[in-house]
Amino acid sequence: MARHLITSAIPYINGVKHLGNLVGSQLPADLYARYLRGRGHEVMFICATDEHGTPAELAAAKAGQPVADYCAEMHAVQAELGRGFRLSFDHFGRSSSARNHVLTQHFAGRLAEAGLIAEVQEMQVYSVDDGRFLPDRYIEGTCPNCGYDKARGDQCENCTKQLDPADLIDPRSAISGSRNLERRATTHLYLRQSVMRERLDAWIGAKTDWPVLTTSIAKKWLHDGDGLQDRGITRDLDWGVPVRKGAEPWPGMEGKVFYVWFDAPIEYIAATAEWADAHGLPEAAWRRWWREDEGAGDVRYTQFMGKDNVPFHTLSFPVTIMGSGEPWKLVDFIKSFNYLTYDGGQFSTSQGRGVFMDHALALLPADYWRWWLLSHAPESSDSEFTWENFQASVNKDLADVLGNLVSRVTKFCRSKFGETVPEGGETGPREAALAADLGQRIAAYDAAMAAIEVRKAAADAGRDPGSATNTSRPPPPGRPSRPTPRRPRRRRASRSTSSASMRCCRARSSPTRPRR
RNA sequence: GGGCCUGUAGCUCAACGGUCAGAGCAGGGCGCUCAUAACGCCUUGGUUGGGGGUUCGAAUCCCUCCGGGCCUACCA
């Protein structure tokens, strides 16, 4: 009996997520949470929507809505889809919550006191007609290297050369197409990650049991070039957490907000506070999960995310936590995933390419998707979704093997024993062999789940019951030992062990396929 | 350019320096019938991307070449 804090990377607000997003964070986190609850542990499973940043503002503008309304609506849509997929969050929060505003400002204040925030004046591109500063990738122009006319300010996607917006020929706003751009001076706050480099390096270096994907990305950022660089944590936007130093104003930073990657991970904490608020619980109820000095000393904290989120969770967020000088809970294990691909290419929200959560649920029950996604989770490398594979897997694993077993056992039971499940009779060597076999499978499954090896766990959970089938089969033709297995008493034993096997199968598979 | 991951049977994946490289699916054969055109048993199939090296021993470690993918700090 232990206490487990589990967070899934929080999905961005702009639209319905695709299966790649789902399998990379929310779904495996749900699997783990369900498993641990099933084992009797105390679990706090947190997710939320990530609502700030430029894309949210643009998506709202495109929808012709105020950004707050747009986010509220999309949050409701994502929450509903989460329920549709049976994601068992204890709370599905919002990074735009009042709780997150307060906490984000609190952390910024603590970091400033610790000397970990620097104010930096820099020049950025401002679009007069759009009335906003443009991130590099929102500036379009002709690539000076290859002549491609839709190169982005950060990189030309045609020749892959990295660019600076100043390099672009004929630069224009990617939002409006306006060429009325100018460079303006603006001041931003930087998180001085570089001064924490040694400490982060030692911390990551000690995590020898983490997935290679997680540690290799972190180490690359720590050691590449001049090492870990400081990172801007503010933006010139309207929508976001206003920059404040704790409860105090921050002179010179009026009208600016924190960068979404500063406030998004803090939302894990804030969402737990939102959970307490939603249940009318006192502060202590959520703080016992997050403050080591207030009861979180025995909590094991596991994060789930796609590989694109790894730098923020291995570096920036730990700097926020460590740098605060307060005993907030630091992550114990980071499980990261590669990408799911779709027919050879990437899933793409912007291009509408792939299978999206709403479409998937409209087509087939959530369990079909959960089973396929978890049993094919992109753990060691990217993995591919194809309709053929999905169809074959669902038909074989779920309908043929599992469905048929249940159908068969129940029908047989009814035909021989009526409407009552018979008591177990005498057990013999076959039942003992079955029990031993199941014991081994459960042990293998437990080991895989403990290590959060999703594919392996799914394979162990779904693997049949072949032994159950064997137990209730007549003896093989070559060895006519007829009388014994034909006696009703033996049948009852077989029946009860078969149904035990079925129950066992159900227990193992319930985290994967909660409906069954 | 740099870094990381990856390449194993037709397909999806195991094997993490040590018995003939294994499973599931697909293919072939046989069987069973209590079951869902289901299930069970048996079976075909691999020069582990190519080449070189280290080692008593290499899918595994090293070098090199070829292919696929991701990241590269202002998308999130």
Side-chain angles (χ1 to χ4, degrees):
Chain A
M1 182 74 174
R3 298 176 63 214
H4 287 267
L5 175 61
I6 299 170
T7 60
S8 159
I10 65 179
Y12 199 65
I13 193 71
N14 66 340
V16 173
K17 300 293 106 176
H18 53 63
L19 297 183
N21 298 129
L22 183 62
V23 74
S25 51
Q26 293 173 306
L27 190 52
D30 181 66
L31 174 79
Y32 193 52
R34 285 177 179 275
Y35 170 75
L36 291 173
R37 288 193 199 104
R39 298 294 306 237
H41 298 303
E42 188 181 359
V43 170
M44 177 59 66
F45 178 26
I46 291 295
C47 193
T49 40
D50 179 14
E51 307 194 357
H52 299 138
T54 308
E57 293 192 349
L58 297 181
K62 193 176 176 185
Q65 283 179 296
V67 65
D69 294 356
Y70 172 81
C71 288
E73 207 169 277
M74 288 310 303
H75 173 82
V77 168
Q78 293 205 19
E80 185 55 33
L81 288 170
R83 280 190 287 275
F85 275 94
R86 292 175 165 40
L87 301 174
S88 61
F89 307 129
D90 287 292
H91 192 73
F92 187 64
R94 302 183 58 185
S95 69
S96 60
S97 69
R99 281 289 194 174
N100 197 34
H101 280 229
V102 171
L103 269 167
T104 298
Q105 291 164 345
H106 169 80
F107 275 104
R110 293 290 307 184
L111 291 165
E113 281 172 39
L116 289 167
I117 302 253
E119 295 186 19
V120 176
Q121 195 183 61
E122 56 197 12
M123 301 298 289
Q124 288 193 356
V125 174
Y126 185 83
S127 170
V128 178
D129 294 334
D130 292 309
R132 63 165 66 240
F133 282 93
L134 297 178
D136 289 355
R137 69 166 48 199
Y138 283 96
I139 304 164
E140 254 176 28
T142 301
C143 176
N145 188 48
C146 71
Y148 180 64
D149 67 351
K150 287 201 176 81
R152 292 189 321 217
D154 55 342
Q155 185 174 37
C156 173
E157 54 189 31
N158 186 51
C159 68
T160 75
K161 185 178 173 61
Q162 287 187 52
L163 303 172
D164 184 274
D167 299 336
L168 290 173
I169 299 160
D170 186 27
R172 54 198 183 271
S173 163
I175 299 165
S176 62
S178 168
R179 288 173 168 77
N180 191 6
L181 309 178
E182 52 189 53
R183 291 178 79 78
R184 287 191 185 180
T186 181
T187 300
H188 283 296
L189 301 182
Y190 273 69
L191 181 61
R192 300 180 65 201
Q193 304 182 132
S194 56
V195 308
M196 301 276 278
R197 185 183 153 188
E198 301 296 318
R199 191 167 162 191
L200 287 171
D201 204 14
W203 178 64
I204 295 291
K207 303 299 184 184
T208 51
D209 60 331
W210 285 14
V212 179
L213 186 62
T214 304
T215 53
S216 67
I217 292 173
K219 285 175 182 173
K220 155 74 171 163
W221 281 59
L222 283 165
H223 301 299
D224 190 44
D226 298 329
L228 186 61
Q229 302 296 300
D230 295 342
R231 185 156 196 140
I233 56 163
T234 53
R235 292 290 183 272
D236 288 292
L237 296 173
D238 298 323
W239 175 240
V241 178
V243 176
R244 293 179 77 86
K245 196 179 286 182
E248 304 298 315
W250 201 311
M253 298 305 290
E254 296 81 7
K256 296 174 193 286
V257 299
F258 286 107
Y259 172 43
V260 350
W261 263 116
F262 184 68
D263 78 60
I266 295 172
E267 169 62 12
Y268 296 143
I269 306 173
T272 315
E274 292 170 46
W275 161 83
D277 293 343
H279 291 80
L281 297 167
E283 290 292 286
W286 69 265
R287 293 176 74 91
R288 65 189 280 273
W289 288 100
W290 284 102
R291 287 290 295 236
E292 297 195 328
D293 56 339
E294 297 178 45
D298 63 340
V299 169
R300 179 167 171 84
Y301 177 20
T302 307
Q303 295 176 340
F304 289 81
M305 69 198 65
K307 57 186 165 183
D308 51 335
N309 285 345
V310 168
F312 303 101
H313 289 81
T314 51
L315 306 168
S316 313
F317 188 44
V319 166
T320 302
I321 296 289
M322 293 173 179
S324 72
E326 296 174 332
W328 295 98
K329 180 71 195 164
L330 196 58
V331 66
D332 293 301
F333 190 87
I334 297 180
K335 176 71 179 181
S336 55
F337 289 86
N338 285 285
Y339 290 146
L340 188 67
T341 61
Y342 180 77
D343 268 340
Q346 283 198 48
F347 275 80
S348 167
T349 303
S350 57
Q351 293 167 35
R353 180 187 154 77
V355 185
F356 291 78
M357 285 171 73
D358 53 351
H359 183 213
L361 285 183
L363 282 175
L364 291 165
D367 282 356
Y368 293 18
W369 299 104
R370 290 178 62 105
W371 168 248
W372 190 89
L373 289 168
L374 289 167
S375 59
H376 294 79
E379 285 180 301
S380 57
S381 63
D382 291 353
S383 65
E384 184 168 25
F385 174 87
T386 63
W387 289 100
E388 292 74 18
N389 189 303
F390 173 65
Q391 179 183 31
S393 180
V394 167
N395 283 346
K396 190 69 195 176
D397 300 342
L398 299 187
D400 293 353
V401 175
L402 183 61
N404 178 58
L405 171 72
V406 172
S407 161
R408 172 192 183 205
V409 170
T410 48
K411 279 186 182 173
F412 180 79
C413 205
R414 169 180 265 176
S415 71
K416 303 298 178 194
F417 302 101
E419 299 301 319
T420 313
V421 177
E423 295 299 312
E426 263 174 52
T427 60
R430 288 163 126 198
E431 286 76 19
L434 172 62
D437 185 40
L438 288 174
Q440 276 183 10
R441 287 172 190 215
I442 291 168
Y445 170 72
D446 279 337
M449 284 302 298
I452 321 185
E453 293 181 16
V454 175
R455 283 179 106 122
K456 193 181 282 185
D460 288 329
R463 182 168 306 154
D464 172 21
S467 45
T469 313
N470 282 338
T471 308
S472 48
R473 286 179 63 77
R479 191 175 59 84
S481 61
R482 268 187 33 254
T484 317
R486 293 290 183 195
R487 281 207 309 254
R489 180 182 286 180
R490 291 274 315 163
R491 270 200 216 126
R492 274 198 291 272
S494 292
R495 258 332 82 189
S496 76
T497 43
S498 278
S499 45
S501 169
M502 229 162 68
R503 281 197 302 275
C504 169
C505 193
R506 185 182 64 191
R508 277 177 297 154
S509 64
S510 67
T512 319
R513 307 182 292 249
R515 243 180 181 171
R516 285 165 200 280

